[in-house]
Amino acid sequence: MSGFPGHEVITALVSGRYADPFSILGMHLTSEGLEIRALLPDASAVTLIESKTGRKITELNCEDDRGFFSVLLSRRKKPFRYQFAVTWHEHTYIIEDPYRFGPLLQDIDSWLLAEGTHLRPYERLGAHPDVLDGVEGMRFAVWAPNAQRVSVVGQFNFWDGRRHPMRQRRENGIWELFLPAVTIGQLYKYEIIDCNGETRLKADPYAFEAQMRPETASVTRGIPAIADGDPARNAANGRHQPISIYEVHLGSWRRHVENNYWLSYGELAQQLVDYVKYMGFTHLELLPINEHPFDGSWGYQPLGIYAPTRRFGTPEDFRLFIDAAHQAGINVLLDWVPGHFPGDEFGLAKFDGTSLYEYADPREGLHQDWNTLIYNYGRNEVRNYLAGNALFWLERYGIDGLRVDAVASMIYRDYSRPAGQWVPNHYGGNENLEAIAFLRYTNHTVGTQRDGAITVAEESTSFSGVTAPPDSGGLGFHYKWNMGWMNDTLRYMQLDPVHRKYHHHQMTFSMVYAYSENFVLPLSHDEVVHGKQSILNRMPGDVWQKFANLRAYYGFMWGHPGKKLLFMGNEFAQWKEWNHDVSLDWHLLDDTDSMHSGVQRLVRDLNQCYRQHSPLYDLDYRYDGFEWLVADDAENSVFAFLRRDSHGNEMIVVSNFTPVPRLGYRIGIPTPGRWREVLNTDSQYYNGSNMGNSGELHSEQVPSHHREHSLLLTVPPLATIFLAREA
């Protein structure tokens, strides 16, 4: 029989170790006619059926009792559509043959994927519902260039790697297969015989849904529909807009009291969204919701970066949660982690037996701090996997921006590594040129493909041009966390007020470099864990002074140039450090007259004041939007500065970081007129001592601070006041 496979080939096929199943299985035109071959383990009988007529043509011969069947149709020369009627354990099923379908990946997609420039690789790789030749099913594709064999395994084939080996596209290392009758919601993985002959069971890197941990299978799921953009949301991300971000870990913001179980996406869509709107925040930032195996990583060690975590519901539920935030006028940012991934066996590590996604050299590919693996940014397919993921969340879920985690660890090869334990770049330097190119490419892609979307860098060094455009040599982020401001000001605030005059510069130094980048001022989750204590507990003094210090600090923060970010719990001054395993201490707000309720009211009013007064945000990133009025009064620990918008409106911010009231404190001002006290952190409403300026002040033509006009103020103890110039 012409072209009939030998016993060795059948043995390799049956044992799941034949790399080219399409050369054997399916329909083949031979010199003697059409030959149809099938591998159907445990089948007792197989009948060939013509799909068009439903007519039974002939029985297939069992050539090997391990499940290899074939038949030669010597009188037929023209290929036709067919099905099998297969008898398993006395039950007969009509099935389509996966090996009668041609290649799936188009040439242009193959080229772009190999080149690393496919904007949406998730549309071609992974599992996708499809209809081929009138047959419904699921097409699968996975990149594993060094594997000896790859099979799709799942609920639909008894997790048996022999049944559905995939076609290898040798030009790009992608394996593909269309499986008829596989539907949405079924579990699957890839069974890979790697380059060393070892069998590995891997989750799909491009899966849109995953099992609830600790289970690790992928779940077949249709790709989410493209989310419409919105001009108002786009505008709300702009540099000239008020941006006040509430940073949230969904698993511990609030939990069910009766069993400490998580809220669902649906419950969060009501409770969290309503709360964020009530508090006046403009943006909601989520700690990573990509699927991750370990709760204690807070999502920062993701393995299913295309799948919203199943902890809180389905992908559809997550989409509705995002929609609810948008309907409430809240933009949503997502923490995104392209810097590293855990080495769990079911994930990306040694995917095909080689260091496929990670650098092979542990001096490049292992994060010693976190015991995680580092992506190989120089590999086209890895760059495509990550950059495509950034666009995926923006396009398919309507996420308004990404906060990129641990950028410094990506762009420096010697990050947290002693001498001799890192590999220089080819110029001999310590910069990871591949990672820098990847970030520029990703930010450029986001900027050109998703109007109004932003990226925010958590970058803790003085790397130049983080928020400069890529074509100007920058990394291309829209904003950067100001870690220097956070560290300096927190160190200052932790000091006893009697010592603060010796560290005055820590509150003013940030203005030296304030316009080098587009900054966000962050008081993030990192500041309330690992023994650092809560923000409140880092304040000095007795209970009243702790709260007063905190209120004054928040006032200074909201007045200072830069967008704002506050981690959950900080807005009502939680005593304890954040614990990801339990809810925030909402009981602290049961008493509406408590100090905690006072801080919550202050943060709400700060947000409202911030949004209502454009001098506090309009010119955040221009020199003419800020002017020091009092920068050198270290003895009294008083700071005063003026904020200005593009229309000439002005706001004065004055802070007193001692418990001594400053009565009759004169400050020079550039513009005379009437000024109104629009916010005072010492107000009785916030549980302060209620000292202030009786609502209104008038300037005097009395020189002070090198200016011809001045204001005579009462500056309350441990407080910040905002004064708006009246027209």
PDB file of all heavy atoms in Angstrom, residues 116-136:
ATOM      1  N   GLY A 116       8.165  39.663  15.994  1.00  0.00           N
ATOM      2  CA  GLY A 116       7.889  40.320  17.267  1.00  0.00           C
ATOM      3  C   GLY A 116       7.140  41.622  17.135  1.00  0.00           C
ATOM      4  O   GLY A 116       7.148  42.441  18.060  1.00  0.00           O
ATOM      5  N   THR A 117       6.452  41.833  16.025  1.00  0.00           N
ATOM      6  CA  THR A 117       5.741  43.092  15.785  1.00  0.00           C
ATOM      7  C   THR A 117       4.246  42.893  15.590  1.00  0.00           C
ATOM      8  O   THR A 117       3.563  43.800  15.117  1.00  0.00           O
ATOM      9  CB  THR A 117       6.320  43.811  14.554  1.00  0.00           C
ATOM     10  OG1 THR A 117       6.248  42.939  13.415  1.00  0.00           O
ATOM     11  CG2 THR A 117       7.767  44.217  14.789  1.00  0.00           C
ATOM     12  N   HIS A 118       3.735  41.724  15.938  1.00  0.00           N
ATOM     13  CA  HIS A 118       2.293  41.500  15.840  1.00  0.00           C
ATOM     14  C   HIS A 118       1.617  42.266  16.976  1.00  0.00           C
ATOM     15  O   HIS A 118       1.876  42.000  18.154  1.00  0.00           O
ATOM     16  CB  HIS A 118       1.988  40.007  15.940  1.00  0.00           C
ATOM     17  CG  HIS A 118       0.647  39.631  15.375  1.00  0.00           C
ATOM     18  ND1 HIS A 118      -0.539  40.123  15.878  1.00  0.00           N
ATOM     19  CD2 HIS A 118       0.310  38.803  14.344  1.00  0.00           C
ATOM     20  CE1 HIS A 118      -1.549  39.621  15.184  1.00  0.00           C
ATOM     21  NE2 HIS A 118      -1.054  38.832  14.241  1.00  0.00           N
ATOM     22  N   LEU A 119       0.770  43.210  16.645  1.00  0.00           N
ATOM     23  CA  LEU A 119       0.167  44.052  17.675  1.00  0.00           C
ATOM     24  C   LEU A 119      -0.762  43.266  18.584  1.00  0.00           C
ATOM     25  O   LEU A 119      -0.883  43.570  19.774  1.00  0.00           O
ATOM     26  CB  LEU A 119      -0.616  45.205  17.027  1.00  0.00           C
ATOM     27  CG  LEU A 119       0.215  46.242  16.283  1.00  0.00           C
ATOM     28  CD1 LEU A 119      -0.695  47.277  15.622  1.00  0.00           C
ATOM     29  CD2 LEU A 119       1.198  46.924  17.219  1.00  0.00           C
ATOM     30  N   ARG A 120      -1.405  42.256  18.033  1.00  0.00           N
ATOM     31  CA  ARG A 120      -2.399  41.507  18.802  1.00  0.00           C
ATOM     32  C   ARG A 120      -2.149  40.000  18.672  1.00  0.00           C
ATOM     33  O   ARG A 120      -2.942  39.268  18.076  1.00  0.00           O
ATOM     34  CB  ARG A 120      -3.802  41.861  18.309  1.00  0.00           C
ATOM     35  CG  ARG A 120      -4.127  43.343  18.514  1.00  0.00           C
ATOM     36  CD  ARG A 120      -5.380  43.787  17.801  1.00  0.00           C
ATOM     37  NE  ARG A 120      -5.611  45.213  18.019  1.00  0.00           N
ATOM     38  CZ  ARG A 120      -5.059  46.192  17.283  1.00  0.00           C
ATOM     39  NH1 ARG A 120      -4.227  45.884  16.279  1.00  0.00           N
ATOM     40  NH2 ARG A 120      -5.302  47.456  17.555  1.00  0.00           N
ATOM     41  N   PRO A 121      -1.046  39.521  19.237  1.00  0.00           N
ATOM     42  CA  PRO A 121      -0.726  38.090  19.123  1.00  0.00           C
ATOM     43  C   PRO A 121      -1.777  37.213  19.774  1.00  0.00           C
ATOM     44  O   PRO A 121      -1.929  36.046  19.399  1.00  0.00           O
ATOM     45  CB  PRO A 121       0.626  37.982  19.845  1.00  0.00           C
ATOM     46  CG  PRO A 121       0.659  39.145  20.776  1.00  0.00           C
ATOM     47  CD  PRO A 121      -0.052  40.241  20.059  1.00  0.00           C
ATOM     48  N   TYR A 122      -2.521  37.756  20.747  1.00  0.00           N
ATOM     49  CA  TYR A 122      -3.552  36.992  21.442  1.00  0.00           C
ATOM     50  C   TYR A 122      -4.727  36.640  20.534  1.00  0.00           C
ATOM     51  O   TYR A 122      -5.549  35.802  20.890  1.00  0.00           O
ATOM     52  CB  TYR A 122      -4.054  37.777  22.651  1.00  0.00           C
ATOM     53  CG  TYR A 122      -4.449  39.208  22.344  1.00  0.00           C
ATOM     54  CD1 TYR A 122      -5.704  39.531  21.860  1.00  0.00           C
ATOM     55  CD2 TYR A 122      -3.537  40.246  22.540  1.00  0.00           C
ATOM     56  CE1 TYR A 122      -6.051  40.844  21.571  1.00  0.00           C
ATOM     57  CE2 TYR A 122      -3.874  41.556  22.266  1.00  0.00           C
ATOM     58  CZ  TYR A 122      -5.130  41.855  21.778  1.00  0.00           C
ATOM     59  OH  TYR A 122      -5.471  43.156  21.490  1.00  0.00           O
ATOM     60  N   GLU A 123      -4.805  37.255  19.353  1.00  0.00           N
ATOM     61  CA  GLU A 123      -5.861  36.890  18.411  1.00  0.00           C
ATOM     62  C   GLU A 123      -5.501  35.638  17.627  1.00  0.00           C
ATOM     63  O   GLU A 123      -6.374  35.003  17.025  1.00  0.00           O
ATOM     64  CB  GLU A 123      -6.128  38.041  17.438  1.00  0.00           C
ATOM     65  CG  GLU A 123      -6.723  39.264  18.098  1.00  0.00           C
ATOM     66  CD  GLU A 123      -7.009  40.391  17.112  1.00  0.00           C
ATOM     67  OE1 GLU A 123      -6.542  40.307  15.950  1.00  0.00           O
ATOM     68  OE2 GLU A 123      -7.699  41.351  17.505  1.00  0.00           O
ATOM     69  N   ARG A 124      -4.227  35.257  17.639  1.00  0.00           N
ATOM     70  CA  ARG A 124      -3.783  34.096  16.858  1.00  0.00           C
ATOM     71  C   ARG A 124      -3.281  32.954  17.744  1.00  0.00           C
ATOM     72  O   ARG A 124      -3.470  31.784  17.404  1.00  0.00           O
ATOM     73  CB  ARG A 124      -2.666  34.519  15.892  1.00  0.00           C
ATOM     74  CG  ARG A 124      -3.145  35.503  14.846  1.00  0.00           C
ATOM     75  CD  ARG A 124      -4.141  34.866  13.894  1.00  0.00           C
ATOM     76  NE  ARG A 124      -4.762  35.829  12.997  1.00  0.00           N
ATOM     77  CZ  ARG A 124      -5.983  36.306  13.137  1.00  0.00           C
ATOM     78  NH1 ARG A 124      -6.727  35.929  14.168  1.00  0.00           N
ATOM     79  NH2 ARG A 124      -6.482  37.161  12.268  1.00  0.00           N
ATOM     80  N   LEU A 125      -2.627  33.274  18.844  1.00  0.00           N
ATOM     81  CA  LEU A 125      -2.131  32.247  19.753  1.00  0.00           C
ATOM     82  C   LEU A 125      -3.130  32.028  20.872  1.00  0.00           C
ATOM     83  O   LEU A 125      -3.979  32.874  21.161  1.00  0.00           O
ATOM     84  CB  LEU A 125      -0.778  32.650  20.314  1.00  0.00           C
ATOM     85  CG  LEU A 125       0.352  32.765  19.277  1.00  0.00           C
ATOM     86  CD1 LEU A 125       1.593  33.395  19.888  1.00  0.00           C
ATOM     87  CD2 LEU A 125       0.683  31.412  18.680  1.00  0.00           C
ATOM     88  N   GLY A 126      -3.049  30.864  21.502  1.00  0.00           N
ATOM     89  CA  GLY A 126      -4.015  30.520  22.537  1.00  0.00           C
ATOM     90  C   GLY A 126      -5.154  29.700  21.975  1.00  0.00           C
ATOM     91  O   GLY A 126      -5.019  29.037  20.933  1.00  0.00           O
ATOM     92  N   ALA A 127      -6.293  29.693  22.643  1.00  0.00           N
ATOM     93  CA  ALA A 127      -7.474  28.921  22.232  1.00  0.00           C
ATOM     94  C   ALA A 127      -8.577  29.880  21.820  1.00  0.00           C
ATOM     95  O   ALA A 127      -8.906  30.812  22.569  1.00  0.00           O
ATOM     96  CB  ALA A 127      -7.946  28.034  23.376  1.00  0.00           C
ATOM     97  N   HIS A 128      -9.166  29.639  20.647  1.00  0.00           N
ATOM     98  CA  HIS A 128     -10.189  30.536  20.114  1.00  0.00           C
ATOM     99  C   HIS A 128     -11.331  29.734  19.500  1.00  0.00           C
ATOM    100  O   HIS A 128     -11.089  28.839  18.675  1.00  0.00           O
ATOM    101  CB  HIS A 128      -9.595  31.444  19.040  1.00  0.00           C
ATOM    102  CG  HIS A 128      -8.545  32.381  19.547  1.00  0.00           C
ATOM    103  ND1 HIS A 128      -8.829  33.650  19.971  1.00  0.00           N
ATOM    104  CD2 HIS A 128      -7.214  32.219  19.706  1.00  0.00           C
ATOM    105  CE1 HIS A 128      -7.715  34.239  20.374  1.00  0.00           C
ATOM    106  NE2 HIS A 128      -6.721  33.389  20.231  1.00  0.00           N
ATOM    107  N   PRO A 129     -12.571  30.041  19.849  1.00  0.00           N
ATOM    108  CA  PRO A 129     -13.698  29.422  19.153  1.00  0.00           C
ATOM    109  C   PRO A 129     -13.646  29.817  17.676  1.00  0.00           C
ATOM    110  O   PRO A 129     -13.333  30.960  17.335  1.00  0.00           O
ATOM    111  CB  PRO A 129     -14.931  30.030  19.833  1.00  0.00           C
ATOM    112  CG  PRO A 129     -14.433  30.661  21.090  1.00  0.00           C
ATOM    113  CD  PRO A 129     -13.002  31.016  20.862  1.00  0.00           C
ATOM    114  N   ASP A 130     -13.948  28.859  16.822  1.00  0.00           N
ATOM    115  CA  ASP A 130     -13.882  29.148  15.388  1.00  0.00           C
ATOM    116  C   ASP A 130     -14.804  28.191  14.637  1.00  0.00           C
ATOM    117  O   ASP A 130     -15.261  27.180  15.191  1.00  0.00           O
ATOM    118  CB  ASP A 130     -12.444  29.002  14.877  1.00  0.00           C
ATOM    119  CG  ASP A 130     -12.143  29.927  13.705  1.00  0.00           C
ATOM    120  OD1 ASP A 130     -13.104  30.414  13.069  1.00  0.00           O
ATOM    121  OD2 ASP A 130     -10.949  30.158  13.424  1.00  0.00           O
ATOM    122  N   VAL A 131     -15.064  28.523  13.382  1.00  0.00           N
ATOM    123  CA  VAL A 131     -15.831  27.654  12.487  1.00  0.00           C
ATOM    124  C   VAL A 131     -14.986  27.452  11.238  1.00  0.00           C
ATOM    125  O   VAL A 131     -14.687  28.408  10.513  1.00  0.00           O
ATOM    126  CB  VAL A 131     -17.194  28.266  12.123  1.00  0.00           C
ATOM    127  CG1 VAL A 131     -17.938  27.351  11.165  1.00  0.00           C
ATOM    128  CG2 VAL A 131     -18.025  28.526  13.375  1.00  0.00           C
ATOM    129  N   LEU A 132     -14.574  26.222  10.990  1.00  0.00           N
ATOM    130  CA  LEU A 132     -13.785  25.879   9.807  1.00  0.00           C
ATOM    131  C   LEU A 132     -14.558  24.902   8.947  1.00  0.00           C
ATOM    132  O   LEU A 132     -15.021  23.856   9.442  1.00  0.00           O
ATOM    133  CB  LEU A 132     -12.434  25.261  10.207  1.00  0.00           C
ATOM    134  CG  LEU A 132     -11.457  26.154  10.999  1.00  0.00           C
ATOM    135  CD1 LEU A 132     -10.138  25.421  11.198  1.00  0.00           C
ATOM    136  CD2 LEU A 132     -11.233  27.483  10.303  1.00  0.00           C
ATOM    137  N   ASP A 133     -14.710  25.260   7.710  1.00  0.00           N
ATOM    138  CA  ASP A 133     -15.390  24.374   6.762  1.00  0.00           C
ATOM    139  C   ASP A 133     -16.776  23.976   7.288  1.00  0.00           C
ATOM    140  O   ASP A 133     -17.213  22.833   7.135  1.00  0.00           O
ATOM    141  CB  ASP A 133     -14.531  23.124   6.512  1.00  0.00           C
ATOM    142  CG  ASP A 133     -14.884  22.439   5.190  1.00  0.00           C
ATOM    143  OD1 ASP A 133     -15.519  23.097   4.348  1.00  0.00           O
ATOM    144  OD2 ASP A 133     -14.529  21.265   5.035  1.00  0.00           O
ATOM    145  N   GLY A 134     -17.436  24.925   7.925  1.00  0.00           N
ATOM    146  CA  GLY A 134     -18.767  24.677   8.448  1.00  0.00           C
ATOM    147  C   GLY A 134     -18.812  23.920   9.764  1.00  0.00           C
ATOM    148  O   GLY A 134     -19.896  23.601  10.257  1.00  0.00           O
ATOM    149  N   VAL A 135     -17.657  23.653  10.353  1.00  0.00           N
ATOM    150  CA  VAL A 135     -17.577  22.861  11.582  1.00  0.00           C
ATOM    151  C   VAL A 135     -17.193  23.781  12.742  1.00  0.00           C
ATOM    152  O   VAL A 135     -16.197  24.504  12.661  1.00  0.00           O
ATOM    153  CB  VAL A 135     -16.551  21.723  11.446  1.00  0.00           C
ATOM    154  CG1 VAL A 135     -16.413  20.953  12.761  1.00  0.00           C
ATOM    155  CG2 VAL A 135     -16.961  20.781  10.312  1.00  0.00           C
ATOM    156  N   GLU A 136     -17.972  23.733  13.819  1.00  0.00           N
ATOM    157  CA  GLU A 136     -17.654  24.529  15.005  1.00  0.00           C
ATOM    158  C   GLU A 136     -16.636  23.795  15.880  1.00  0.00           C
ATOM    159  O   GLU A 136     -16.686  22.569  16.011  1.00  0.00           O
ATOM    160  CB  GLU A 136     -18.916  24.801  15.820  1.00  0.00           C
ATOM    161  CG  GLU A 136     -19.917  25.697  15.101  1.00  0.00           C
ATOM    162  CD  GLU A 136     -21.118  26.005  15.962  1.00  0.00           C
ATOM    163  OE1 GLU A 136     -21.204  25.442  17.086  1.00  0.00           O
ATOM    164  OE2 GLU A 136     -21.976  26.802  15.539  1.00  0.00           O
TER     165      GLU A 136
END
